[in-house]
Amino acid sequence: MNASNLTSLSTALILGLSVFSAQAEKVVSLEQAITLAQQNDPWLHGSRLKQSAVENRSIASGTLPDPKVSLGIMNLPTDTWDLDQEGMTQLTVGVSQMFPRGDSLEIKKDQLQIESTKFPLLREDRKAKLKSQVSQLWLDAYLAQKTIKLIEDDWSLFEQMAEVAKASYSNVVGKTRQQDVIRAQLEIVQLDDRLTSEKQKLETTIARLNEWLHIYDADRLNESFNFDAQPLEFSVSKELPSIQLNNPTVLKASNYSRNLLAQALANHPAILAIDVKRKSSEKGVELAKQQYKPQWGVNASYAYRDNMPSGDSRADLFSVGVTFDLPLFTENRQDKQVAASIADSEAVKTEKLLLTKQMISAVEKELRQLKRLSDRQSIYQEQLLKQTHDQAEASLTAYTNDDGDFAEVVRARIAELNARISALRIDVDALKTVARINYFFAHSQSKSNAEHKPLHTSHKTNQHLSNKQFGEK
């Protein structure tokens, strides 16, 4: 094994160990999941290879075609096959060179060079999409994981309530009815089904997230990929991350303008890639116009003649010539090719407008959703969570003082659990919305750092997570 292969192997091993070192931990933060997805995406490596191919093709397309060499025997007599019998018999060697029309070589070279510049933009767009997609999956996993914990935390409480109901029903002095015992047992069964459903969601989400966390080594493409290197099961961090809006100034209601939003979206790599496509199509128009110019060719040949039968020498012959075509009948060929190239160029402009309109619509949809989620966050944090908790405590107190109904106690506890799960889901949905909005501002910068504030999802859980070592709980 040479030094370069050894270095690549050691690098891959170090990277793999740094990510999946403590198999007993298997905890992934959102930042780590995004970093792993962006650093180990084979699509990005394939894009670099395609860019290299276009760049090399650009150099090749700007080069003249190879000259052609011809060898031949001319006017050989068929009665004797002697080279010296006839004065017209010649051994010829010739060379010819064709020259493309006008500046078509340089234009084609420039066109491919322009095309190659779209690949870095497509990679940036891919990274932005990966960040958004991985964020959605990670937050779905967090929601399921946190919901499971909330249910498990209340599990013992519902079991105690069922035991109390059963004991009270067994005691003839108690006022608990048989339907209360059945209701308590039914709630436990339904809670068990709910817990199983959330575990199913967590497992399927982890399986989908697992797709993006495989360690990929571009230097070892010829080797079989080790899919077993990635753990089948892992958990996500216990705390919600804080995700900031990339461009809050443009999105402020006080100065919101679709024109300003369109200007900000113009820096998106997907939009810039369409600009590159437009410039390439404009070069295509220039290339089509070169078809009106003639194509030139130069040829030269040398003919050797043998001496006469008498021994006298014959003069050798040299020929040179120029060939060119005449684009005279252009109506159904050159004119149509130019018209087609112009139509293609104009069509690209509609692609940019269409994508910009789609992005504006998507951002506005997400902003409206974020506004309503923020309103619901306030309702839950300021009212619902406290009220459902107070109701549960009051129902339990009334029941223990023989002044309440057991069914009401159960309903109040279920309502409190549902409220906490709903509040959690709202927090997660708000972060998922911000992550989707941020995709559209992948390259935009906020105009004021003072306004660049995080979206607070909860007064308890909204904290910045630093890039900790993978596996830390």
Side-chain angles (χ1 to χ4, degrees), residues 57-58 61-63 99-115 278-295 327 333-342 344-345:
R57 198 173 290 118
S58 169
S61 65
T63 306
F99 297 91
R101 306 176 190 277
D103 298 326
S104 57
L105 279 184
E106 190 66 25
I107 293 174
K108 185 62 177 177
K109 178 181 179 181
D110 293 342
Q111 185 183 33
L112 290 175
Q113 285 179 341
I114 292 173
E115 262 187 57
R278 176 183 56 79
K279 293 177 182 178
S280 177
S281 66
E282 291 174 352
K283 285 291 182 181
V285 175
E286 293 182 34
L287 188 61
K289 290 180 178 179
Q290 300 303 306
Q291 299 299 314
Y292 290 109
K293 299 180 179 181
Q295 184 178 24
R333 187 175 181 182
Q334 285 86 347
D335 291 352
K336 299 303 181 184
Q337 288 178 343
V338 171
S341 298
I342 293 175
D344 286 338
S345 180

Side-chain angles (χ1 to χ4, degrees), residues 90-102:
Q90 307 166 28
L91 296 176
T92 63
V93 56
V95 60
S96 61
Q97 175 68 60
M98 296 300 298
F99 297 91
R101 306 176 190 277

Side-chain angles (χ1 to χ4, degrees), residues 401-420:
N401 292 330
D402 294 333
D403 191 27
D405 184 34
F406 180 80
E408 183 62 30
V409 176
V410 175
R411 283 194 295 267
R413 288 297 178 183
I414 291 294
E416 182 183 11
L417 175 61
N418 289 338
R420 284 187 289 166

Side-chain angles (χ1 to χ4, degrees), residues 144-416:
Q145 180 177 285
K146 191 69 173 180
T147 302
I148 291 172
K149 187 176 187 307
L150 290 176
I151 295 175
E152 289 177 342
D153 289 345
D154 279 3
W155 188 275
S156 59
L157 175 62
F158 282 96
E159 284 186 331
Q160 291 176 10
M161 291 171 59
E163 291 296 329
V164 169
K166 186 176 181 180
S168 178
Y169 177 71
S170 301
N171 187 354
V172 294
V173 181
K175 65 173 185 176
T176 303
R177 297 163 296 179
Q178 183 180 13
Q179 67 185 43
D180 294 332
V181 178
I182 297 175
R183 172 68 184 273
Q185 294 174 343
L186 176 61
E187 291 298 340
I188 292 178
V189 174
Q190 290 178 336
L191 204 63
D192 187 27
D193 176 68
R194 194 171 183 180
L195 183 62
T196 303
S197 176
E198 292 300 327
K199 288 181 178 179
Q200 177 187 355
K201 292 179 182 178
L202 177 60
E203 291 169 355
T204 54
T205 305
I206 290 296
R208 293 175 60 195
L209 183 59
N210 215 329
E211 174 187 353
W212 306 107
L213 304 185
H214 290 282
I215 302 302
Y216 171 76
D217 186 1
D219 295 328
R220 306 175 68 187
L221 289 176
N222 294 328
E223 300 180 18
S224 298
F225 191 86
N226 184 13
F227 293 97
D228 290 332
Q230 163 68 17
L232 293 175
E233 298 180 3
F234 54 86
S235 61
V236 297
S237 304
K238 295 181 179 180
E239 301 295 332
L240 267 179
S242 176
I243 304 179
Q244 300 175 338
L245 280 172
N246 285 348
N247 204 332
T249 305
V250 175
L251 303 178
K252 285 180 63 176
S254 59
N255 64 344
Y256 177 78
S257 166
R258 284 179 172 172
N259 288 332
L260 291 177
L261 179 57
Q263 292 176 11
L265 293 175
N267 293 324
H268 193 278
I271 297 290
L272 295 177
I274 295 180
D275 288 337
V276 172
K277 185 177 179 181
R278 176 183 56 79
K279 293 177 182 178
S280 177
S281 66
E282 291 174 352
K283 285 291 182 181
V285 175
E286 293 182 34
L287 188 61
K289 290 180 178 179
Q290 300 303 306
Q291 299 299 314
Y292 290 109
K293 299 180 179 181
Q295 184 178 24
W296 292 83
V298 177
N299 60 81
S301 63
Y302 178 83
Y304 168 79
R305 296 198 298 175
D306 204 354
N307 295 333
M308 298 181 190
S310 62
D312 295 337
S313 63
R314 294 191 179 103
D316 296 337
L317 304 175
F318 176 76
S319 303
V320 64
V322 175
T323 61
F324 59 92
D325 58 7
L326 295 175
L328 297 179
F329 309 103
T330 62
E331 183 177 358
N332 292 327
R333 187 175 181 182
Q334 285 86 347
D335 291 352
K336 299 303 181 184
Q337 288 178 343
V338 171
S341 298
I342 293 175
D344 286 338
S345 180
E346 292 298 316
V348 175
K349 297 178 182 178
T350 65
E351 290 183 24
K352 181 177 180 179
L353 177 59
L354 179 62
L355 182 57
T356 302
K357 288 173 59 179
Q358 291 174 345
M359 285 186 169
I360 291 176
S361 177
V363 169
E364 290 181 344
K365 183 204 77 171
E366 299 294 351
L367 285 177
R368 285 175 171 80
Q369 179 168 316
L370 185 60
K371 173 65 169 60
R372 294 309 173 193
L373 287 172
S374 179
D375 293 342
R376 294 184 67 193
Q377 281 180 323
S378 299
I379 293 174
Y380 272 84
Q381 294 296 335
E382 297 172 7
Q383 301 179 50
L384 272 177
L385 291 177
K386 182 178 183 302
Q387 290 175 357
T388 54
H389 176 72
D390 292 343
Q391 181 188 23
E393 292 297 324
S395 299
L396 181 60
T397 301
Y399 178 74
T400 55
N401 292 330
D402 294 333
D403 191 27
D405 184 34
F406 180 80
E408 183 62 30
V409 176
V410 175
R411 283 194 295 267
R413 288 297 178 183
I414 291 294
E416 182 183 11

Side-chain angles (χ1 to χ4, degrees), residues 31-42 44 130-131 134 209 212-214:
E31 293 83 357
Q32 291 161 350
I34 293 173
T35 301
L36 281 172
Q38 291 180 340
Q39 290 181 350
N40 296 279
D41 184 19
L44 297 176
L130 280 178
K131 184 175 183 180
V134 171
L209 183 59
W212 306 107
L213 304 185
H214 290 282

